[in-house]
Amino acid sequence: MRATRAPMCRVLLLVAAACCFFSGSVAATDSIDLAASITGNQTLVSAGGIFELGFFSPPGGRTYLGIRYAGIADRTVVWVANRNDPLISAPGALRLSPDGRLLILDRQNSTVWSSPAPTRRITAGAVARLGDDGNFLLSSDGSGSPQSVAWQSFDYPTDTLLPGMKLGMDFKRRLTRNLTSWNSPNDPSPGQYTFKLVPGGLPEFFLFQGPKKIYASGPFNGAGLTGVPNLMSKDFIFKVVNSPDETYYSYAITDPKLRSRFLMDGTAGLVQRYVWTNNGPWSSFWYYPTDPCDTYGKCGAFGYCDITQAPLCTCLPGFEPRSTEQWNLRDGTGGCVRTTNLSCGAGDGFWPVNRMKLPEATNATVHADMTLDQCRQLCLANCSCRAYSAANVSGGINRGCVIWGVDLMDMRQYPAVVQDVFIRLAQSEVDALIAAGSTSHHLLKLSPY
Ligand SMILES: *[C@@H]1O[C@H](CO)[C@@H](O)[C@H](O)[C@H]1NC(C)=O
Ligand SMILES: *[C@@H]1O[C@H](CO)[C@@H](O)[C@H](O)[C@H]1NC(C)=O
Ligand SMILES: *[C@@H]1O[C@H](CO)[C@@H](O)[C@H](O)[C@H]1NC(C)=O
Ligand SMILES: *[C@@H]1O[C@H](CO)[C@@H](O)[C@H](O)[C@H]1NC(C)=O
Ligand SMILES: *[C@@H]1O[C@H](CO)[C@@H](O)[C@H](O)[C@H]1NC(C)=O
Ligand SMILES: *[C@@H]1O[C@H](CO)[C@@H](O)[C@H](O)[C@H]1NC(C)=O
Ligand SMILES: *[C@@H]1O[C@H](CO)[C@@H](O)[C@H](O)[C@H]1NC(C)=O
């Protein structure tokens, strides 16, 4: 049943890591306990037959323990246990040690990988079970209850987020769950791309290439990630949770027959959302970055990117290019500077923009209980405040306050209204914009300020 498919070349073309995966005997079980283990080509299959766990060997002679969707011809791996610690001397074995660690042993019975120490004391009834959600979960007493979780693969994502997994941080447990690309299609060791939460201010997810930010999701404003306008879909339900204990993104799928994965793709350098319907193959129906305006900081400080304009970069109202030469050469990264200096007192006002991805807000200050009016007062009273906005616009109601005391970065224009962001300008500049009948004048009248 799970034997390697005949048209191997085609499979290899689809996904190079396809080779030699789980070409195993059918295991009758979904779990191991202190007595049992799996070895060589044996696998665990989740109760509903949705996921499979076993050893796989991409070309190159190294062996890894991984999880994949079962029954899908394309042998795509969604999780790897020992991405940093490959097994050189196969066959490998997976075992549960008496102190509650999962161990990968090589042919000589040497440990090549072990899971971290369990977070619960292990009993004789401990069981590690592969669930139909793709989570490999070690339960201290075998019950599988949330209180008994001693370790789980969902806490250690590789390059793939499955429905129900969390991307973000658990501050209480000091866990960081990021997606890091494979080094190459045949090498699951960590590659150069990581997609992760950067904590602070409003929740926001960043795509890093090495140390460099190359794309940002836009801050979460209670309704959506403001740089991902098509996040909503009838098949996908996403949530962003932001509490003192944890901040994360996660998603669910409504159609139980749909197979889905969210991948940090190291070959393309993109985060991609794939679905598998009927006979496949995996189809990518959503990916970021999508266009040049998604490039992080494309138009520098106080600039914004508009994909419908040439050049792409424009300065916010009341700002002008820092370097006209650079700007004329279509390089907006130098950004913009004020046309008129702030007075830092009663001589300042605000200009609203509202069809924008919110500026990066990881360094912004959030006051959850403030009204927008109090927010404005707070911004006006502090000369380092460059802009303010509601922190949460869920349900179309303004709640809370965000204060940007940093340069406004990574904005882009959208055709639809996202939310009002009030940019601090000298009042004379605001008056000039009104007198010039600037296109966003009507927005000023529509909004309370
Ligand atoms: C699984 O491994 C055993 C022992 O190495 C071998 O005899 C058997 O042919 C393998 N099965 C498959 C399907 O590769
Ligand atoms: C590895 O451990 C197993 C189980 O304890 C044992 O049967 C086997 O002989 C050992 N192999 C080696 C090479 O020590
Ligand atoms: C991603 O998370 C892993 C732990 O799961 C950590 O070792 C690694 O440093 C993180 N990578 C980045 C770029 O934050
Ligand atoms: C936004 O406000 C709504 C309504 O009060 C609340 O349910 C939700 O948790 C808030 N979201 C965040 C991220 O604070
Ligand atoms: C505006 O501020 C900058 C930097 O603080 C300063 O160099 C410049 O002279 C000021 N311009 C005016 C007209 O006051
Ligand atoms: C936010 O703060 C960090 C650390 O101080 C800094 O590296 C980064 O450039 C800041 N981002 C912005 C947009 O100011
Ligand atoms: C002014 O705003 C900056 C940036 O938000 C903040 O660091 C500073 O503490 C504020 N100053 C006062 C007096 O509130």
Side-chain angles (χ1 to χ4, degrees), residues 160-342:
T160 301
L161 200 71
L162 294 171
M165 288 176 79
K166 296 172 177 179
L167 181 71
M169 287 188 176
D170 184 325
F171 303 111
K172 252 172 129 178
R173 295 180 50 209
R174 297 210 183 110
L175 268 182
T176 302
R177 303 186 189 95
N178 62 37
L179 300 180
T180 300
S181 63
W182 284 28
N183 208 5
S184 77
N186 287 324
D187 177 4
S189 69
Q192 56 177 329
Y193 295 99
T194 299
F195 191 58
K196 66 174 185 179
L197 172 82
V198 173
L202 296 175
E204 185 164 9
F205 301 87
F206 291 83
L207 173 52
F208 285 85
Q209 182 176 21
K212 196 169 163 241
K213 287 176 183 168
I214 58 172
Y215 162 71
S217 69
F220 181 69
N221 66 356
L225 290 162
T226 59
V228 191
N230 51 351
L231 195 58
M232 316 284 188
S233 120
K234 69 174 174 41
D235 295 322
F236 288 85
I237 303 163
F238 80 94
K239 65 175 173 185
V240 175
V241 169
N242 188 21
S243 76
D245 289 350
E246 49 181 352
T247 301
Y248 65 85
Y249 164 89
S250 106
Y251 73 99
I253 39 176
T254 49
D255 179 354
K257 290 196 297 294
L258 207 63
R259 302 287 177 258
S260 135
R261 62 195 173 99
F262 179 98
L263 175 73
M264 179 62 257
D265 179 341
T267 306
L270 302 171
V271 283
Q272 307 221 47
R273 205 184 260 305
Y274 287 95
V275 287
W276 181 280
T277 41
N278 303 321
N279 298 319
W282 287 108
S283 71
S284 161
F285 73 96
W286 179 101
Y287 60 90
Y288 277 90
T290 305
D291 63 38
C293 280
D294 280 333
T295 304
Y296 176 79
K298 175 81 181 167
C299 299
F302 302 106
Y304 66 90
C305 193
D306 184 346
I307 202 69
T308 68
Q309 299 290 313
L312 295 170
C313 289
T314 309
C315 290
L316 285 168
F319 290 81
E320 62 196 6
R322 180 181 297 278
S323 154
T324 329
E325 293 80 38
Q326 226 189 16
W327 205 262
N328 291 342
L329 292 170
R330 304 271 159 110
D331 177 2
T333 51
C336 308
V337 292
R338 292 180 186 283
T339 346
T340 310
N341 284 354
L342 295 174

Side-chain angles (χ1 to χ4, degrees), residues 337-362:
V337 292
R338 292 180 186 283
T339 346
T340 310
N341 284 354
L342 295 174
S343 77
C344 280
D348 290 345
F350 294 96
W351 186 257
V353 297
N354 67 11
R355 292 182 298 134
M356 297 274 183
K357 173 181 184 176
L358 290 193
E360 173 177 358
T362 53

Side-chain angles (χ1 to χ4, degrees), residues 95 105-109:
R95 211 169 277 171
L105 309 177
D106 66 9
R107 183 199 289 274
Q108 286 79 36
N109 282 347

